Amino acid sequence: MNVLPENLSSPDSLRHADLPTPKPNLQAYDRERRLALLSSPRRLLNYLRFRLAIRRPNISHWPIKLDIENVSRCNFACTMCQVSDWPGRQRAEDMSLVDFQSIIDGQPGLVEIKIQGMGEPTMQGDAFFDMIRYARRKHIWVRTTTNASLLHLNDNHAKLIDSGVNDVQVSLDGATAATYEAIRRGGKFDRVTQNCRLLNDYAREKGNVGIQMWVVVQRTNLAELEALVDLASKLRFGRLTFALDLNDWGQDAWRDANSQLAAEHLVDTARAFELVEQGRASGIAVGFWTNTTKYSARKPETICPWPFERAYVSSDMRVVPCCMIGNPDVSDLGDANAFESNWFGQSYADFRQSHLDGNIPRPCQGCYE
């Protein structure tokens, strides 16, 4: 259960509020990580190297996590998302199952992946669920995010749970149809909420508790936070996370646009406490997530960990620094078909060095203070 620290006393201090646990079930996550490490001596050795590593340009360990974008297309055009700028809401072709398997087989250090990027993953159909199953057979923890719009089709809600997925985040940014549909353009509130019930009922039937509702807080839904807690309860979620910042996708135009929508400083600690208590009364674990000014270039320990532990692979097999950029047209670190030579190569070393030196690359500056 999330409880906000007692010393929170100002809107700014919400940056240090009780963040959601990285997994909704830490015991299950720890169990799967142990199984993953014990099933592969090479993976275990890599993990030990990672744990002992000092942040420096040239590292000797493989990434322990990856974000893998199976599709870069979406059926929504959300107001705060760069996909709404792309022709046809699509940047590239879908990733094939063969390419996905090649990524997994070629990454000896993986203990966790996220299968989702800028697109809606269920648009790919059964190949998406096959990807989850493939990774789960290797005891890799799998997380994904969905807008829930297609879960009623082809038993997708059941296929998702039956795939063995560990953690599902469902994006739901409004407690009313008017608010939701104004933000998640192309979405239908009634359809999505019905699908959330389908998913949660089936997940509970199968004993899967890793389903959480995820709300991107912005000026357009700021008045509905309490109603969103009620909605989470009504839709049978066990967890609700309020994401308090909007990122800029590493682009000036999106920084300007999303700064107009941002509402992080409009949620004070008193209201946050009340939301936590409201959730507790309904059996909902309410948490908060913020990335704004999360990182600092003042010392190695506070710089972004992504360059040293994980990467993002786009659907067209390009290596991107992270999910907050999610677009190789903005920042491209190389060909994922040659991941090893890139991860251990000079370009990545230079990228890490820029963070260590405090010369933060422009696409990364939105996550630094």
Side-chain angles (χ1 to χ4, degrees):
M1 187 69 69
N2 283 324
V3 180
L4 291 173
E6 293 182 359
N7 61 354
L8 293 179
S9 59
S10 71
D12 281 349
S13 64
L14 272 181
R15 295 174 184 172
H16 309 290
D18 178 41
L19 301 179
T21 56
K23 315 294 167 294
N25 187 334
L26 283 173
Q27 289 184 334
Y29 179 72
D30 289 340
R31 181 176 63 248
E32 287 298 316
R33 183 173 56 184
R34 286 195 298 271
L35 288 172
L37 296 176
L38 292 174
S39 67
S40 169
R42 192 178 181 191
R43 189 183 289 163
L44 176 59
L45 177 60
N46 183 79
Y47 191 77
L48 293 174
R49 284 176 174 167
F50 160 73
R51 292 295 300 269
L52 296 173
I54 298 172
R55 289 184 177 178
R56 56 188 181 183
N58 298 297
I59 57 179
S60 63
H61 60 271
W62 290 79
I64 61 167
K65 304 175 184 178
L66 279 182
D67 278 30
I68 303 175
E69 179 185 64
N70 66 315
V71 301
S72 60
R73 56 190 172 107
C74 193
N75 54 343
F76 288 8
C78 301
T79 55
M80 63 287 189
C81 181
Q82 64 179 327
V83 173
S84 62
D85 276 348
W86 296 346
R89 304 176 191 171
Q90 179 172 359
R91 191 194 58 78
E93 295 300 313
D94 296 354
M95 180 180 289
S96 70
L97 179 59
V98 171
D99 280 343
F100 175 85
Q101 292 170 333
S102 177
I103 293 170
I104 297 298
D105 293 344
Q107 297 291 310
L110 291 178
V111 298
E112 176 185 343
I113 63 173
K114 178 186 178 186
I115 306 179
Q116 189 266 337
M118 293 309 307
E120 167 51 39
T122 59
M123 291 183 74
Q124 191 175 27
D126 288 347
F128 167 54
F129 308 118
D130 290 339
M131 290 175 179
I132 298 173
R133 280 191 290 270
Y134 190 80
R136 290 296 300 125
R137 285 198 291 269
K138 299 176 182 292
H139 297 292
I140 296 172
W141 184 274
V142 178
R143 178 166 57 98
T144 194
T145 297
T146 178
N147 62 29
S149 63
L150 305 176
L151 295 180
H152 63 294
L153 300 175
N154 304 314
D155 290 326
N156 282 340
H157 67 287
K159 289 177 180 178
L160 180 56
I161 300 304
D162 291 343
S163 70
V165 68
N166 302 100
D167 185 356
V168 179
Q169 295 176 356
V170 179
S171 300
L172 189 51
D173 297 331
T176 62
T179 299
Y180 173 82
E181 293 173 11
I183 296 171
R184 297 276 169 177
R185 295 176 301 194
K188 300 299 181 184
F189 181 76
D190 289 344
R191 177 75 271 167
V192 167
T193 52
Q194 289 175 34
N195 286 353
C196 288
R197 291 191 185 94
L198 273 178
L199 180 67
N200 283 320
D201 286 350
Y202 190 79
R204 292 190 179 193
E205 178 184 328
K206 295 295 182 176
N208 186 318
V209 296
I211 315 295
Q212 55 181 312
M213 180 169 146
W214 193 274
V215 175
V216 180
V217 177
Q218 46 204 286
R219 290 176 183 268
T220 41
N221 63 14
L222 188 62
E224 296 187 357
L225 303 190
E226 290 76 15
L228 282 160
V229 177
D230 291 338
L231 180 62
S233 177
K234 183 186 299 184
L235 299 181
R236 306 180 188 110
F237 285 99
R239 182 176 186 85
L240 166 60
T241 297
F242 289 111
L244 294 173
D245 62 277
L246 298 173
N247 68 298
D248 62 10
W249 312 113
Q251 301 163 63
D252 291 337
W254 277 105
R255 172 177 287 187
D256 294 342
N258 281 344
S259 66
Q260 302 301 311
L261 297 173
E264 177 186 3
H265 298 294
L266 300 177
V267 182
D268 62 27
T269 52
R271 189 178 187 188
F273 273 114
E274 290 168 358
L275 290 167
V276 170
E277 291 303 323
Q278 180 187 350
R280 182 180 291 117
S282 301
I284 305 292
V286 173
F288 299 86
W289 174 261
T290 180
N291 194 63
T292 303
T293 65
K294 182 178 179 182
Y295 304 123
S296 168
R298 294 192 183 99
K299 53 186 179 179
E301 293 80 9
T302 59
I303 63 176
C304 176
W306 274 76
F308 307 91
E309 70 176 46
R310 67 193 298 181
Y312 178 110
V313 179
S314 65
S315 67
D316 52 349
M317 298 294 285
R318 305 305 300 176
V319 181
V320 180
C322 73
C323 65
M324 306 299 284
I325 297 171
N327 185 347
D329 295 337
V330 175
S331 183
D332 189 338
L333 291 171
D335 184 358
N337 291 296
F339 190 94
E340 180 176 7
S341 61
N342 284 292
W343 180 255
F344 296 110
Q346 190 60 48
S347 293
Y348 234 119
D350 291 344
F351 182 71
R352 296 184 188 105
Q353 187 66 61
S354 68
H355 285 261
L356 291 165
D357 289 343
N359 299 319
I360 307 303
R362 167 60 196 93
C364 302
Q365 289 174 10
C367 292
Y368 278 80
E369 61 181 1

